Amino acid sequence: MALRNILGKRFGVGLAGRRPLSTATCDVESGNAKAINLYSAINQALLIALETDPRAFVFGEDVSFGGVFRCTTGLADRFGKARVFNTPLCEQGIVGFGIGLAAMGNRAIAEIQFADYIYPAFDQIVNEASKFRYRSGNQFNCGGLTIRAPYGAVGHGGHYHSQSPEAFFCHVPGIKVVIPRSPRQAKGLLLSCIRDPNPVVFFEPKWLYRLAVEEVPEHDYMLPLSEAEVIRQGSDITLVGWGAQLSIMEQACIEAERDGIFCELIDLKTLIPWDKETVEASVRKTGRVLISHEAPVTGGFGAEISASIVERCFLRLEAPVARVCGLDTPFPLVFEPFYMPTKNKILDAIKATVNY
Amino acid sequence: MALSHLASSSSRSGSLLKPLSSAISLRRPISTDTTPITVETSVPFTAHQCEAPSRTVQTNANELLTFFRDMALMRRMEIAADSLYKAKLIRGFCHLYDGQEAVAVGMEAALTKKDCIITAYRDHCTFMARGGTLLEVFAELMGRQAGCSRGKGGSMHFYKKDSNFYGGHGIVGAQVPLGCGLAFAQKYCKDEAVTFALYGDGAANQGQLFEALNISALWDLPAILVCENNHYGMGTAEWRAAKSPAYYKRGDYAPGLKVDGMDVLAVKQACAFAKEHALKNGPIILEMDTYRYHGHSMSDPGSTYRTRDEITGVRQERDPIERIRKLILSHDLATEKELKDMEKELRKEVDDAIAQAKENPVPESSELFTNVYAKGFNVESFGADRKEVRATLP
């Protein structure tokens, strides 16, 4: 696997290899559906949110002209500057402001331009947003707050345009963390997040903004939070992942099948509170589990899943829990292909786990 | 007066008649005439809580020609980087500085290498001004070993320890508190040196700036906060992001100076003034009124939020290189042809450096694991299945 590749070729392969996942088992009624990409799906969700709730607001850096990923195109024109507006460059301010807005009963949809920039707002999210309801004895809450941020590798993002910070937020009781894998999922999940009465951090896989294209129903629909989805049935090993990584894992599943290994693939969708029951049921069937995410392996959310599954399924497990994740280094610049949990690394781990 | 002109022009044409081989390309045909020339800055300085320095600046032929050469080199370098990015030899993010060269060059002229400079991600030219080489720049941009950060930093993370250039930061505004920390160390060690912490008009709205400024003012640190105001925070115009775009006044209790950032002599004067001020009285804010011709980064065309007329207008009226060219020509310090020849030579220097950088190898794959921690504290590398430790790397 560790072949030296000249810059460019590797990225070419990586990009071509990322196919969108089909959501064949999705229980959304397909009314009129059109093939659109991820940023258009998110745009539709935001439009519906603004349309259906006159107290919904979308704000963030550069959202007015459509945003750097075009997720907010046309919203300012349609709903006006009082509801869709730019903020100055201050993440801490954006989230704090959003918490206040939500505390007054509004739906504040805040955008952080890249998840890598969310850290100035970390204090506001952890110390204010997540604890507001709890510490006020339910007098106040900021449930109307949804924070959207593009996360994940993009092929050339380097240290500050590629991070996956979901693990930091999964450690905070009081907020929800949701990550969609495809356009149809994104629209439904985002609408659920916006309408959920708890503050939510919604990470969007930026690699898929243009790349993932899927039939997305045009009407208003929601997908349930805290429900994981089995997107591929199998009997030999359970694979758990979220977001863009699932398409990589699916490729590994397809290749493993050629070797007679049938993998069950689960999309967690909501990371906290996560659907332990679905994962447990699957592991009870297969006896093996592999978790994969882009974030560094130590302290990543895979560690939580691993510990919980071992707790629940210890006697059923046939092999140790495998984690195929990013390496324990800062997200590198030229070394991205080596850092990433690629299909081959996953395939290797699947085989090692099955043959344990 | 006329004789000294003749004398300098004959010495210049003498050196220019020599063949331009690659060895010669390192020797600049620049006049070494240091007879003082007095020039007025384009506009007077506007001051806040302090007395503005005079707009009369002392310079000389040597300095002016050096300014011209340095800025022209930077301009050429940035344009070459643009082409390399479009050819996909540079990947990732690339933020170009063309238009703003006068700030880097003027600042350097007022400082010594003992003074520290720290800036944000638009750092290629600041690195060059601090003594970086073209090879280090292009190699780093292309992620090669000969790069100033060994190919591991990329466009946004240029550093040069031996000239106290503390880089190169991707997160907006994060470098300013760092800069104030550098200033604290300088004061503590009685270095008689200052720190210039650069940031943009977008970053001016970051809370951490005010925290850093308060601390610096409280403890009288020799910190100079320089706002490179190019009027756009990526795609957002300054009037849409800031209640008060008079960034030099934002320090409130800290004095400030507004400077025409397209006039290299004004920048030099202001920085010299600021250094003297900071060593005696603590922090001061400099607002450099400047402009970038390119968009925010190579992913930004730069024309969706501003008109092409605006960009060409600034290029015609205020371009820093053209201003110095006019000054040089009007004072008869060089002929137009000599300046054009110099630019051709610089172009060749840039092309040579690019060719060299292209040959340079990418870092070894083991470099992925180096310098995560200090040497001796190991980062373990596992096989794909995490079952065995394959290597413990330095």
Side-chain angles (χ1 to χ4, degrees):
Chain A
M1 175 261 131
L3 294 168
R4 182 81 76 74
N5 277 292
I6 307 296
L7 283 171
K9 285 190 194 153
R10 188 70 174 204
F11 296 124
V13 166
L15 269 173
R18 279 192 185 265
R19 289 180 296 108
L21 279 177
S22 85
T23 44
T25 55
C26 176
D27 54 305
V28 167
E29 324 160 11
S30 40
N32 268 338
K34 261 171 67 178
I36 56 172
N37 60 26
L38 183 63
Y39 75 73
S40 304
I42 290 176
N43 188 251
Q44 275 188 25
L46 292 173
L47 199 134
I48 291 172
L50 288 164
E51 225 168 30
T52 52
D53 188 342
R55 294 182 74 181
F57 301 83
V58 171
F59 52 94
E61 291 158 23
D62 301 301
V63 299
S64 246
F65 81 87
V68 285
F69 293 110
R70 322 222 32 74
C71 295
T72 49
T73 320
L75 298 179
D77 289 336
R78 175 101 176 245
F79 297 99
K81 283 198 270 252
R83 294 181 67 196
V84 179
F85 50 92
N86 285 346
T87 60
L89 213 169
C90 47
E91 289 73 19
Q92 185 171 18
I94 291 170
V95 173
F97 169 86
I99 294 170
L101 197 57
M104 293 286 272
N106 301 295
R107 295 209 191 280
I109 307 165
E111 176 180 302
I112 299 289
Q113 199 158 76
F114 282 85
D116 313 56
Y117 310 154
I118 203 169
Y119 306 111
F122 196 63
D123 174 68
Q124 284 287 342
I125 297 171
V126 172
N127 279 331
E128 304 303 322
S130 72
K131 300 175 171 55
F132 210 155
R133 192 191 290 273
Y134 189 85
R135 70 185 185 212
S136 67
N138 207 16
Q139 283 186 74
F140 290 107
N141 71 78
C142 57
L145 176 66
T146 305
I147 300 167
R148 294 176 39 242
Y151 88 100
V154 74
H156 53 263
H159 317 92
Y160 299 112
H161 296 81
S162 320
Q163 290 177 38
S164 301
E166 70 270 5
F168 297 113
F169 299 94
C170 291
H171 194 51
V172 186
I175 59 171
K176 296 192 176 182
V177 177
V178 177
I179 305 184
R181 68 171 186 271
S182 74
R184 194 199 300 207
Q185 291 292 312
K187 180 174 169 181
L189 286 171
L190 182 54
L191 280 167
S192 294
C193 293
I194 291 169
R195 292 164 177 165
D196 189 276
N198 296 291
V200 182
V201 182
F202 186 78
F203 288 114
E204 301 165 0
K206 68 170 85 71
W207 200 323
L208 301 183
Y209 273 139
R210 283 177 208 272
L211 222 58
V213 177
E214 196 178 26
E215 296 274 318
V216 177
E218 290 183 330
H219 60 265
D220 183 349
Y221 67 93
M222 291 168 46
L223 291 171
L225 298 185
S226 294
E227 273 186 35
E229 188 182 335
V230 178
I231 57 180
R232 187 189 176 89
Q233 301 269 3
S235 50
D236 295 320
I237 181 171
T238 301
L239 266 56
V240 183
W242 50 87
Q245 189 63 8
L246 284 166
S247 59
I248 305 290
M249 292 164 87
E250 204 195 28
Q251 286 169 47
C253 292
I254 291 170
E255 268 197 44
E257 198 169 304
R258 292 194 207 122
D259 291 326
I261 301 173
F262 297 90
C263 308
E264 182 143 299
L265 184 56
I266 298 181
D267 177 6
L268 216 52
K269 299 209 268 193
T270 303
L271 267 63
I272 52 158
W274 63 284
D275 184 355
K276 295 182 181 148
E277 282 67 37
T278 303
V279 179
E280 187 187 338
S282 173
V283 176
R284 289 208 173 281
K285 186 168 71 163
T286 63
R288 297 173 192 88
V289 63
L290 181 151
I291 306 151
S292 185
H293 55 70
E294 282 177 25
V297 61
T298 299
F301 195 61
E304 154 64 29
I305 299 174
S306 174
S308 290
I309 291 299
V310 167
E311 214 169 51
R312 290 172 170 235
C313 310
F314 181 69
L315 289 174
R316 176 65 188 93
L317 286 171
E318 305 281 339
V321 176
R323 289 181 293 162
V324 183
C325 307
L327 301 173
D328 286 328
T329 69
F331 198 102
L333 197 57
V334 300
F335 298 116
E336 182 170 328
F338 302 148
Y339 167 94
M340 291 290 280
T342 55
K343 174 198 74 169
N344 285 339
K345 285 186 189 175
I346 297 172
L347 199 51
D348 219 23
I350 291 174
K351 291 183 185 163
T353 308
V354 166
N355 296 325
Y356 185 78
Chain B
M1 189 64 158
L3 276 172
S4 69
H5 274 299
L6 276 171
S8 17
S9 61
S10 60
S11 68
R12 258 181 290 115
S13 45
S15 59
L16 278 169
L17 283 171
K18 293 196 179 109
L20 286 171
S21 65
S22 54
I24 288 293
S25 71
L26 293 169
R27 184 147 52 100
R28 318 188 221 126
I30 286 178
S31 159
T32 47
D33 189 352
T34 50
T35 332
I37 300 171
T38 311
V39 182
E40 275 214 332
T41 64
S42 58
V43 292
F45 300 102
T46 327
H48 168 76
Q49 308 265 37
C50 67
E51 217 179 284
S54 153
R55 66 187 280 208
T56 314
V57 185
Q58 296 281 46
T59 181
N60 57 58
N62 176 264
E63 184 174 66
L64 287 173
L65 284 158
T66 311
F67 282 167
F68 179 84
R69 185 198 182 275
D70 289 344
M71 289 197 288
L73 182 64
M74 289 173 183
R75 179 68 59 90
R76 207 39 339 259
M77 176 181 83
E78 295 294 71
I79 292 176
D82 177 303
S83 313
L84 287 173
Y85 192 92
K86 289 178 177 149
K88 300 220 170 184
L89 281 160
I90 299 176
R91 311 283 329 270
F93 295 85
C94 192
H95 307 83
L96 299 175
Y97 200 72
D98 52 317
Q100 300 183 216
E101 297 90 351
V103 177
V105 172
M107 183 179 297
E108 193 59 36
L111 268 49
T112 68
K113 291 288 189 283
K114 270 188 71 186
D115 299 305
C116 300
I117 296 184
I118 189 170
T119 184
Y121 43 78
R122 208 176 295 279
D123 58 354
H124 307 164
C125 300
T126 319
F127 171 77
M128 285 295 289
R130 284 261 96 178
T133 66
L134 286 169
L135 176 62
E136 284 176 313
V137 169
F138 288 115
E140 188 61 42
L141 287 174
M142 295 197 262
R144 310 295 173 100
Q145 281 181 21
C148 53
S149 304
R150 305 199 350 234
K152 293 174 72 165
S155 163
M156 295 197 281
H157 306 288
F158 284 19
Y159 297 84
K160 194 159 169 59
K161 182 158 187 191
D162 54 18
S163 24
N164 281 319
F165 177 53
Y166 283 80
H169 296 80
I171 299 296
V172 170
Q175 72 277 9
V176 180
L178 248 98
C180 297
L182 298 173
F184 183 96
Q186 286 173 321
K187 179 166 178 166
Y188 190 89
C189 299
K190 298 194 169 52
D191 279 350
E192 286 303 299
V194 297
T195 299
F196 277 71
L198 280 67
Y199 58 97
D201 46 293
N205 301 314
Q206 277 275 317
Q208 50 191 324
L209 242 85
F210 298 94
E211 293 182 15
L213 189 64
N214 182 50
I215 288 179
S216 306
L218 201 56
W219 298 336
D220 284 320
L221 301 181
I224 295 122
L225 274 64
V226 180
C227 179
E228 289 184 282
N229 183 8
N230 57 26
H231 307 285
Y232 294 94
M234 201 165 73
T236 305
E238 61 178 338
W239 56 270
R240 293 221 258 166
K243 175 69 179 173
S244 160
Y247 298 102
Y248 69 106
K249 286 194 196 159
R250 288 274 200 96
D252 183 29
Y253 43 79
L257 200 65
K258 183 163 171 166
V259 185
D260 179 2
M262 307 295 258
D263 179 353
V264 65
L265 293 167
V267 173
K268 178 185 157 201
Q269 183 92 320
C271 291
F273 169 80
K275 174 169 174 172
E276 205 187 300
H277 183 281
L279 281 170
K280 285 203 295 272
N281 305 325
I284 178 170
I285 298 183
L286 293 179
E287 181 187 335
M288 303 287 180
D289 185 350
T290 183
Y291 200 83
R292 54 165 162 83
Y293 297 139
H294 268 88
H296 164 75
S297 71
M298 288 304 300
S299 329
D300 172 24
S303 50
T304 50
Y305 47 84
R306 50 185 193 173
T307 60
R308 289 197 194 280
D309 286 340
E310 182 188 294
I311 305 171
T312 30
V314 175
R315 225 187 253 276
Q316 276 165 3
E317 309 285 315
R318 298 178 65 205
D319 185 271
I321 299 176
E322 292 313 307
R323 165 169 285 136
I324 291 296
R325 193 198 300 269
K326 282 195 200 108
L327 207 55
I328 290 173
L329 293 174
S330 68
H331 278 85
D332 254 337
L333 306 174
T335 65
E336 224 177 294
K337 183 179 183 312
E338 283 170 339
L339 293 179
K340 285 241 184 306
D341 285 342
M342 192 189 291
E343 285 178 289
K344 271 201 213 118
E345 202 184 291
L346 294 172
R347 204 186 176 117
K348 188 176 182 309
E349 255 184 70
V350 167
D351 290 339
D352 286 345
I354 292 176
Q356 222 185 323
K358 279 183 187 170
E359 297 303 307
N360 206 256
V362 286
E364 292 290 322
S365 8
S366 59
E367 286 275 348
L368 172 53
F369 300 102
T370 57
N371 307 130
V372 178
Y373 293 99
K375 207 170 171 72
F377 291 86
N378 301 325
V379 173
E380 292 174 323
S381 163
F382 291 83
D385 55 10
R386 295 277 303 175
K387 289 192 199 322
E388 44 170 298
V389 177
R390 295 284 175 85
T392 306
L393 296 156

